[in-house]
Amino acid sequence: MFSNIEKVVLAMGLLRILSGSIEISAALLMLKLNSIEKALLVNSSLVLVGPIILILTTSIGLSGIAGEISYMKIFLVFCGIGLILYAVLSK
């Protein structure tokens, strides 16, 4: 089943699996700690996981198709990611 998967797609999928595993582990830790303050601390530690995985996954995907699209389009994708991160992380 997995013999026909491209390496770039496999790397992207594995990064998303890692991200999901981190999120599930954090949720289980929150339940185990059973404290609102500690749960908020665990939750706040996850703030960087999502954006880092987003940037890495997009970078890997773009590197896989870099020869097929123009540098301007790659630049615009990274500008879009930057705007998403700015909107999410700004107060």
Side-chain angles (χ1 to χ4, degrees):
M1 178 178 159
F2 292 111
S3 62
N4 295 340
I5 295 180
E6 292 187 32
K7 291 180 183 178
V8 172
V9 175
L10 180 62
M12 292 171 70
L14 289 174
L15 272 173
R16 286 297 176 182
I17 289 171
L18 174 67
S19 174
S21 299
I22 292 170
E23 295 279 343
I24 290 171
S25 298
L28 293 173
L29 183 61
M30 286 180 196
L31 292 173
K32 182 180 183 217
L33 295 173
N34 197 26
S35 166
I36 296 173
E37 292 84 9
K38 292 177 183 175
L40 284 172
L41 182 64
V42 171
N43 191 55
S44 65
S45 68
L46 291 174
V47 166
L48 291 177
V49 173
I52 289 172
I53 297 296
L54 171 68
I55 291 169
L56 288 175
T57 305
T58 304
S59 298
I60 291 171
L62 287 175
S63 70
I65 62 169
E68 301 173 17
I69 62 173
S70 69
Y71 289 115
M72 184 61 172
K73 288 183 181 179
I74 293 173
F75 174 74
L76 290 174
V77 168
F78 278 110
C79 286
I81 292 171
L83 289 172
I84 290 170
L85 293 176
Y86 176 74
V88 169
L89 299 175
S90 67
K91 294 183 180 192

